[in-house]
Amino acid sequence: MQPLRGTKDILPYEIKFWQHIYNIASKILFINNYHEIRTPVIESTELFHRSIGNFTDIVSKEMYSFIDQGDRNITLRPEGTASIARAFISNKLYSNNRINRFWYFGPMFRYERPQKGRQRQFHQLGIECIGSSSPIADIEVIRLAIKILDELQHKEYIVEINSIGNIEERNKYTTLLRNYLNKYVNDLDEDSKKRLVNNPLRILDTKDPRTQEIILKAPKLKECLTLESINHFNNVCQHLNSLNIPYQINDNLVRGLDYYNYTAFEIKTTSKNAQNTICGGGRYDQLIEQLGGPKTPSVGWAIGLERLLLITKETLSLQNQYITIYIIYKNDQINDDLWKIIKVIEKLKINFELDLSNNNLYKQLKKASQRKSKICLILGEDEINNQYVTVKWINTSTQQRIKIHQLYNYLKYLKKHYLNLT
Ligand code: ATP
Ligand code: MG
């Protein structure tokens, strides 16, 4: 049997990359007072209709929704922000009257055409800074995404940024844009024709060359921005300058979700072409209120882990984890001594593997060397009768006899001086 189209098993040899990213992110975010939050993978479908917007790609064609046995309409979450806003409201997390900083890591689901860096179950690492309208909060979150990329030694990226204004400004612009595009309606691609009715802003990031040409001469969103929006945006850009974060203003960046306002940004890698957007984010000042909570301006982003891994795997040189101690024993002689030894090794936090093959000692020893272990502990007949273990160094084949009651001190010494263990 095969996994479902667009889904992938993450195998043990790849887990070290996932854990590495998780560890790096959690350290950086901890220092910056971001707290991990885990929300359910399933939510009521209505949550996404009310937050992401009915005419967005996600809601109109990418959601995994189903009716459960209790006739509830349920959706596998396609992104994290809506769930966090919901959790913020249903757990009354606003009652502490503080800025709440959260981060999350987990699977998301979108019914899309699978390709490199695009899956139906994929993973996002995301952060949300909830409760501030200051442009400094926008910079705080952007800087943290950059910090994580830097720490992962990925240097080839650019931040694309735009201000999409507030709702009134966007409505005003939508009318201008629709009027302009109506003149060219026959030249638009099919997708854009549909969007012209429901979601004309999305036409701005069309991939169709003819539509792109038409867009070039279209009115610009920034022409509809008021001073307040412009100041917010200029402020963000000034800080990007002083932080030396490479960025580009992209007038056509609108992002796929309805709930954004003011700052919208994406981080793109310049090292590969296919699916080069690794992070998307922006400000969402109305979302929490729109879902029934108090007015709470917020800003955040999400990084696609599969895409991040594609570009960082090559630069990260993570050690292969070999086992340190291989334990072999003559299995018809098994007695409590085996468990005594295992408990000693565990106590010292050294990793080990116990041979379970039923083979003779010679074959077991061969396995120890194939497994690239450093030392092998042998518990044979003579060892058991005389209460010792034989320690054999795989590289040099030298061996020593160590009394079982001295094994702890012996291994402790080895761990410190010879086994290169941390
Ligand atoms: P795209 O334009 O590539 O479809 P998006 O705008 O739909 O991206 P967001 O909703 O902003 O994506 O999600 C944030 C990040 O999550 C993206 O930048 C990307 O790295 C990742 N992502 C989104 N959809 C997928 C997917 N189907 N498979 C893998 N990663 C994804
Ligand atoms: Mg998408």
Side-chain angles (χ1 to χ4, degrees):
M1 285 190 76
Q2 295 298 313
L4 286 176
R5 194 165 137 76
T7 69
K8 270 193 185 148
D9 300 306
I10 303 168
L11 299 174
Y13 78 92
E14 297 163 303
I15 284 290
K16 61 175 185 255
F17 293 102
W18 289 80
Q19 288 173 340
H20 182 70
I21 293 182
Y22 182 93
N23 290 339
I24 284 199
S26 66
K27 273 185 199 138
I28 294 172
L29 295 169
F30 170 77
I31 294 171
N32 284 274
N33 198 30
Y34 279 74
H35 302 275
E36 188 176 0
I37 182 166
R38 297 186 188 185
T39 61
V41 167
I42 49 174
E43 295 276 356
S44 107
T45 300
E46 195 200 346
L47 171 65
F48 303 111
H49 282 253
R50 280 176 58 184
S51 54
I52 298 173
N54 287 343
F55 298 118
T56 59
D57 282 356
I58 293 182
V59 171
S60 65
K61 42 188 192 207
E62 295 173 359
M63 293 215 300
Y64 274 94
S65 300
F66 62 96
I67 308 285
D68 78 357
Q69 281 86 336
D71 264 347
R72 297 173 198 91
N73 204 332
I74 287 178
T75 293
L76 298 182
R77 62 179 182 195
E79 56 104 45
T81 305
S83 304
I84 289 187
R86 198 267 311 133
F88 182 77
I89 300 165
S90 50
N91 296 287
K92 298 195 174 56
L93 299 179
Y94 45 81
S95 48
N96 61 12
N97 272 325
R98 283 202 298 261
I99 306 291
N100 284 282
R101 293 172 166 92
F102 300 124
W103 70 277
Y104 60 89
F105 183 104
M108 305 293 160
F109 304 84
R110 296 185 196 176
Y111 193 80
E112 302 198 67
R113 199 168 61 79
Q115 49 196 290
K116 202 170 176 195
R118 191 177 293 285
Q119 293 173 199
R120 292 183 173 172
Q121 174 173 337
F122 61 101
H123 296 75
Q124 284 184 339
L125 165 74
I127 74 173
E128 315 290 354
C129 176
I130 299 181
S132 167
S133 58
S134 163
I136 304 292
D138 306 36
I139 286 298
E140 173 176 303
V141 299
I142 295 175
R143 198 189 70 87
L144 283 170
I146 297 299
K147 174 90 186 149
I148 290 170
L149 293 182
D150 283 348
E151 204 77 5
L152 289 169
Q153 290 149 41
H154 184 63
K155 303 214 160 41
E156 291 144 3
Y157 54 76
I158 180 121
V159 178
E160 288 195 3
I161 190 163
N162 192 20
S163 176
I164 55 172
N166 60 26
I167 294 179
E168 295 91 68
E169 291 158 355
R170 240 179 1 262
N171 283 345
K172 192 170 148 201
Y173 176 65
T174 304
T175 311
L176 281 182
L177 182 66
R178 198 182 269 129
N179 289 345
Y180 167 82
L181 289 175
N182 268 331
K183 292 187 268 183
Y184 302 93
V185 66
N186 294 328
D187 298 326
L188 298 179
D189 60 286
E190 286 311 308
D191 253 1
S192 298
K193 271 183 198 153
K194 281 185 220 143
R195 285 178 171 152
L196 190 54
V197 185
N198 295 325
N199 197 357
L201 282 189
R202 270 319 287 267
I203 301 176
L204 294 180
D205 66 8
T206 174
K207 304 281 177 290
D208 181 80
R210 177 76 190 107
T211 308
Q212 275 174 342
E213 232 173 83
I214 297 169
I215 289 295
L216 278 180
K217 298 209 180 78
K220 296 272 176 274
L221 210 162
K222 64 179 174 210
E223 290 155 16
C224 293
L225 298 185
T226 58
L227 198 60
E228 201 182 331
S229 294
I230 293 170
N231 282 344
H232 187 101
F233 186 60
N234 287 345
N235 222 320
V236 174
C237 293
Q238 271 165 21
H239 283 279
L240 287 176
N241 284 330
S242 61
L243 283 166
N244 274 329
I245 294 176
Y247 74 96
Q248 224 165 38
I249 296 173
N250 176 354
D251 289 332
N252 293 332
L253 181 91
V254 285
R255 314 236 341 105
L257 305 97
D258 275 0
Y259 55 65
Y260 285 118
N261 66 293
Y262 282 14
T263 316
F265 62 90
E266 288 184 347
I267 303 178
K268 295 191 168 157
T269 170
T270 47
S271 63
K272 284 219 174 88
N273 293 326
Q275 311 311 334
N276 57 358
T277 308
I278 41 181
C279 175
R283 176 163 277 288
Y284 52 98
D285 291 344
Q286 261 73 45
L287 176 65
I288 290 173
E289 196 180 7
Q290 199 177 306
L291 292 175
K295 189 169 166 42
T296 319
S298 306
V299 56
W301 50 250
I303 291 178
L305 260 294
E306 280 77 4
R307 292 189 196 170
L308 182 62
L309 274 166
L310 279 174
I311 54 167
T312 52
K313 246 183 190 167
E314 291 144 22
T315 43
L316 287 176
S317 60
L318 300 183
Q319 295 277 312
N320 270 331
Q321 265 288 317
Y322 294 114
I323 52 155
T324 311
I325 297 180
Y326 198 83
I327 306 174
I328 70 181
Y329 61 97
K330 196 152 183 287
N331 43 46
D332 50 355
Q333 291 289 320
I334 185 152
N335 71 352
D336 282 353
D337 293 336
L338 178 63
W339 305 114
K340 271 190 215 154
I341 295 172
I342 286 178
K343 284 177 191 168
V344 163
I345 302 172
E346 263 180 349
K347 197 167 168 192
L348 287 162
K349 299 191 171 69
I350 303 174
N351 73 323
F352 68 93
E353 181 175 337
L354 175 63
D355 191 294
L356 294 174
S357 68
N358 272 343
N359 285 331
N360 63 37
L361 288 184
Y362 173 73
K363 276 194 176 160
Q364 292 189 45
L365 205 63
K366 228 170 132 185
K367 230 347 167 337
S369 113
Q370 282 166 2
R371 300 284 284 113
K372 297 197 164 86
S373 61
K374 288 210 167 110
I375 56 174
C376 182
L377 295 189
I378 305 166
L379 193 63
E381 208 172 327
D382 192 54
E383 281 87 349
I384 290 174
N385 291 338
N386 295 295
Q387 284 297 291
Y388 72 92
V389 277
T390 301
V391 179
K392 187 172 173 116
W393 289 80
I394 299 295
N395 271 351
T396 58
S397 286
T398 45
Q399 45 184 71
Q400 268 170 299
R401 292 173 166 203
I402 306 294
K403 283 283 177 197
I404 289 181
H405 71 271
Q406 289 171 336
L407 188 64
Y408 180 82
N409 285 336
Y410 173 80
L411 288 178
K412 192 172 170 188
Y413 182 80
L414 282 196
K415 182 181 174 186
K416 191 156 176 212
H417 299 283
Y418 293 105
L419 293 179
N420 266 339
L421 299 174
T422 44

